[in-house]
Amino acid sequence: MTIPFFDGHNDTLLRLVDSSRPDKIAMFVDGTIDGQLDLPRANQAGMTGGFFAIFPPPLKADAASVVSSPTSSAGQLPPNLFVRDALASTIEMVSLLYKLERAGALAVCRTAGDVQNAIKNRKLAAIFHIEGAEAIDVKLDSFEVLYAAGLRSIGITWSRANVFGTGVPFLHNVDPDIGPGLTDAGKDLIKLCDKRGVMIDLSHLNAAGFRDVARLSTKPLVATHSNVHAISPSARNLTAWQLAAIKESAGVVGLNYATGFLRPDGKWDTNTPLEIMVRHIDALVDALGEDGVALGSDFDGAQMPKELKDVTGVPKLLKALLDKGYGQTLVRKIAQDNWLSVIERTMG
């Protein structure tokens, strides 16, 4: 029997927008041979929904500058973006999200009840998430517009600085304790997110910013797609004290499937066994308890292990947990129930 699962992070909207093909809606609705997530494969795998990220460009230039950054302790973050540029690309991807909804591919969900209804009606439940708040101005006017359009989850930073905070570079054997904490505007954004019921995603945020969110937010702490620093010491992964803070808040961490954030050696290598993913889940369960662990693939935004490959490989991961001795109840919590719980406690 297929175990239903909810996913904490995908970059599918960016993949579709970046495609040179004109039939972007059909690419998702009918399926393609490229990419890692589309509707037919999601249905085949048992995916019930997820956080659909909107990531403002320029992605390719920024990614290159991060990966090739100097091997200093701090690394090099890519340049900031202008709000107008980030907002333009964000609107393009939001438009695509709603075109997919009109095509019957998914349901954009604003509340936990919307998510439950979509799952009940066998419709892919999509939460509108922005990865890096560059499209939001310091007066937070665009936040109100995006919120009205359905925004319900925000990653304050991607792996670069913005007017709200500082991210972490994609460097291995580096602690995330890099750079300053949230700005005054960042602190205002956190408070407004709490007030409006918008989830705050700590993935990509540096340690000082993490501490500020933990101090200011009254909601569960969430990292939608991050792993365990003690296993894979990337600046993108979570240290013991961060995991302890998430547990204290009754928060959730979604396992990131990106090979470089899974492997102890930090290599981007598709020959990464599912066993390493299970090791991270073991460590997350130990640190967070059975209610604090979920899935956060990073589909269409990262290199996957060859054995998993795309969304149709998720059942292999869930079977590996069952084979390890995880009971059905715990596997179902990790696969879906823990996300649904924290969504209800955050978004209402």
Side-chain angles (χ1 to χ4, degrees):
M1 180 179 178
T2 300
I3 297 175
F5 66 92
F6 196 94
D7 187 67
H9 188 90
N10 73 68
D11 286 297
T12 301
L13 293 173
L14 180 65
R15 175 176 67 86
L16 294 174
V17 164
D18 276 355
S19 173
S20 60
R21 291 175 53 174
D23 56 338
K24 301 181 190 302
I25 304 302
M27 286 175 64
F28 186 79
V29 173
D30 299 332
T32 61
I33 60 172
D34 63 345
Q36 296 163 347
L37 175 63
D38 54 39
L39 186 60
R41 284 182 285 177
N43 289 338
Q44 175 188 341
M47 181 176 173
T48 58
F51 292 75
F52 279 67
I54 289 176
F55 173 81
L59 174 63
K60 295 178 179 63
D62 283 0
S65 68
V66 176
V67 172
S68 63
S69 59
T71 56
S72 65
S73 60
Q76 176 182 327
L77 294 174
N80 295 10
L81 294 177
F82 290 111
V83 172
R84 64 174 181 269
D85 296 328
L87 188 57
S89 64
T90 294
I91 289 172
E92 182 180 13
M93 282 181 269
V94 175
S95 173
L96 179 58
L97 179 65
Y98 279 101
K99 288 175 182 176
L100 289 171
E101 183 178 52
R102 285 197 298 275
L106 49 79
V108 180
C109 300
R110 292 169 167 80
T111 67
D114 289 346
V115 173
Q116 294 281 8
N117 287 336
I119 293 172
K120 179 181 178 180
N121 294 318
R122 300 182 181 277
K123 187 76 70 173
L124 196 64
I127 295 177
F128 170 6
H129 168 84
I130 60 174
E131 183 175 25
E134 284 84 357
I136 299 176
D137 59 284
V138 293
K139 292 170 60 181
L140 305 180
D141 290 338
S142 55
F143 173 94
E144 297 292 0
V145 175
L146 293 171
Y147 178 82
L151 175 66
R152 291 300 182 271
S153 177
I154 292 179
I156 304 301
T157 64
W158 181 66
S159 288
R160 61 186 165 211
N162 58 35
V163 296
F164 302 109
T166 302
V168 289
F170 295 165
L171 293 178
H172 201 64
N173 289 323
V174 172
D175 191 281
D177 200 357
I178 297 169
L182 298 181
T183 64
D184 288 342
K187 294 171 185 176
D188 290 341
L189 178 58
I190 297 303
K191 294 173 185 175
L192 185 56
C193 285
D194 270 18
K195 182 178 179 180
R196 293 283 193 273
V198 173
M199 184 178 291
I200 300 161
D201 179 13
L202 296 164
S203 298
H204 290 280
L205 187 63
N206 69 350
F210 185 110
R211 291 187 184 97
D212 285 336
V213 174
R215 177 173 56 85
L216 292 168
S217 178
T218 61
K219 302 292 186 178
L221 300 178
V222 173
T224 61
H225 58 306
S226 293
N227 295 335
V228 179
H229 193 274
I231 297 175
S232 178
S234 166
R236 269 285 283 110
N237 287 337
L238 298 165
T239 61
W241 71 263
Q242 290 174 310
L243 292 170
I246 293 170
K247 179 180 182 180
E248 184 177 357
S249 74
V252 168
V253 175
L255 177 77
N256 190 324
Y257 305 169
T259 60
F261 305 144
L262 288 167
R263 298 173 61 94
D265 60 11
K267 290 183 179 179
W268 295 95
D269 185 350
T270 58
N271 292 309
T272 298
L274 293 184
E275 182 272 334
I276 292 179
M277 303 178 78
V278 175
R279 282 179 58 196
H280 279 273
I281 290 179
D282 284 343
L284 288 171
V285 171
D286 287 344
L288 302 170
E290 294 186 358
D291 298 331
V293 187
L295 305 178
S297 67
D298 215 350
F299 283 138
D300 286 328
Q303 180 193 77
M304 300 286 115
K306 180 169 58 178
E307 193 175 353
L308 189 140
K309 186 182 176 182
D310 60 24
V311 67
T312 61
V314 174
K316 295 180 184 178
L317 173 61
L318 301 179
K319 183 178 184 300
L321 294 177
L322 291 170
D323 292 344
K324 180 73 183 291
Y326 283 52
Q328 281 275 350
T329 299
L330 177 53
V331 173
R332 288 178 179 275
K333 281 185 174 184
I334 293 169
Q336 176 172 272
D337 296 349
N338 288 341
W339 272 132
L340 299 186
S341 172
V342 79
I343 287 168
E344 183 173 8
R345 289 179 284 127
T346 302
M347 292 168 45

